[in-house]
Amino acid sequence: MEQADAAIARADTLERINAVLVAGLDFLEDYRRTVESLETRISADSLGSSFPGYYLVIDTAENRFYLRRGDLLVRSGYCGTGKGWTSNDTGRTWDFSTPRGLRYVQEVGTNPYWYRPEWYWLEMNMRPPTPEQVVVIPDSLSYSDQIAYYNSLPSSEQVYVQRVPGVLGSYVLDLGGGVLLHYGVGRGRNVSHGCIRLSSADLEAIYRALPVGAPVLIY
C-alpha cells in the first residue's frame, strides 16, 4: 500500500513539474512575441520616418495587415499567414511558417498562376503525378476561359492540374523566397503554406499602393 501511495505521489509530482514546464514555455513564447512586436513597432516607426512611400506591416500572431504611409494608417484588415509545422500520415514534416523580418516587393503581376509544388500532393498523402498524369489547361484559351475550364473539371482531374489559374486572385506581389501576397481563404488564421492571403478588395488596394521595392515588415 505504501509503495502504491509513493508511486501515485511521484506521478503527481511529475505531472506538476510538467505543468510548470509547459507554463514556462508558454510564458517564453508570449515574451518572445512581445519582444518581436516591440521590435517591429520600432522598425515600423523607423520606416515611417525614413521611407516616404507606402509600406506594409504583417502581424502573423494576430493575422492582420497594416498598410501605412509614414505615420498614417491607410488600410488594415485580416490576412492569413503560415500554419507552421505540419505533417502527413507517414510522419513527413514541413515548416510552413511565414518568414519574419523586413522584405521588399520583388515583382508584381496580374492574373497569376499557382504552380503546385511536389509537397502539395505529399501533404495530402498522395503520390505526385507523373508527366502523363498532369492535366494541362490549353494555353490557347483566354485567362478567364482557363479558369472556367479548370472549374468545369471533376475534382479527380482538378487535383492533377499543375499550373492552376485563378486561385491566387487577380493580383500578386512577390516578396522573394517563395513568399507571395495573394488572394486566399482562411483570413484571420494561420492557414497558409507561408504566403500571405488577403481578400480580393484588400489585395487590389495593396497591389495599387505598393510598387516594386516597397518594404514589407513581417513579425
Side-chain angles (χ1 to χ4, degrees), residues 30-219:
D30 289 342
Y31 179 77
R32 181 187 63 79
R33 287 179 177 173
T34 300
V35 170
E36 284 185 348
S37 178
L38 290 172
E39 290 175 343
T40 301
R41 288 176 186 175
I42 292 171
S43 298
D45 289 342
S46 176
L47 274 176
S49 61
S50 64
F51 187 76
Y54 291 96
Y55 61 94
L56 191 66
V57 178
I58 303 291
D59 181 344
T60 61
E62 298 296 328
N63 287 295
R64 292 189 65 87
F65 74 88
Y66 303 93
L67 178 63
R68 306 184 67 91
R69 185 169 188 174
D71 295 328
L72 178 65
L73 177 62
V74 178
R75 190 183 186 104
S76 68
Y78 286 102
C79 59
T81 59
K83 57 185 175 180
W85 286 98
T86 188
S87 62
N88 64 7
D89 289 348
T90 68
R92 184 167 182 176
T93 60
W94 298 267
D95 184 6
F96 290 134
S97 302
T98 298
R100 297 181 175 93
L102 180 60
R103 289 176 172 257
Y104 297 89
V105 177
Q106 304 291 315
E107 294 182 61
V108 298
T110 59
N111 297 336
Y113 292 91
W114 177 40
Y115 293 85
R116 283 187 170 119
E118 185 178 85
W119 53 250
Y120 168 82
W121 294 281
L122 295 176
E123 186 188 7
M124 296 194 301
N125 304 298
M126 296 176 61
R127 182 174 298 174
T130 64
E132 294 75 23
Q133 291 176 307
V134 171
V135 177
V136 178
I137 298 177
D139 282 330
S140 57
L141 298 176
S142 67
Y143 189 76
S144 59
D145 286 342
Q146 288 182 40
I147 295 174
Y149 185 101
Y150 174 77
N151 290 333
S152 71
L153 294 172
S155 58
S156 59
E157 292 185 36
Q158 282 185 349
V159 75
Y160 288 122
V161 176
Q162 198 162 33
R163 190 181 75 158
V164 187
V167 296
L168 300 184
S170 299
Y171 307 96
V172 66
L173 296 89
D174 189 344
L175 304 183
V179 181
L180 307 176
L181 297 168
H182 62 74
Y183 166 79
V185 298
R187 297 178 296 277
R189 295 182 286 139
N190 297 103
V191 292
S192 80
H193 295 92
C195 289
I196 297 155
R197 299 180 181 181
L198 298 157
S199 71
S200 294
D202 289 334
L203 177 61
E204 181 175 1
I206 291 171
Y207 169 82
R208 297 193 182 283
L210 296 186
V212 171
V216 178
L217 187 61
I218 305 172
Y219 70 99

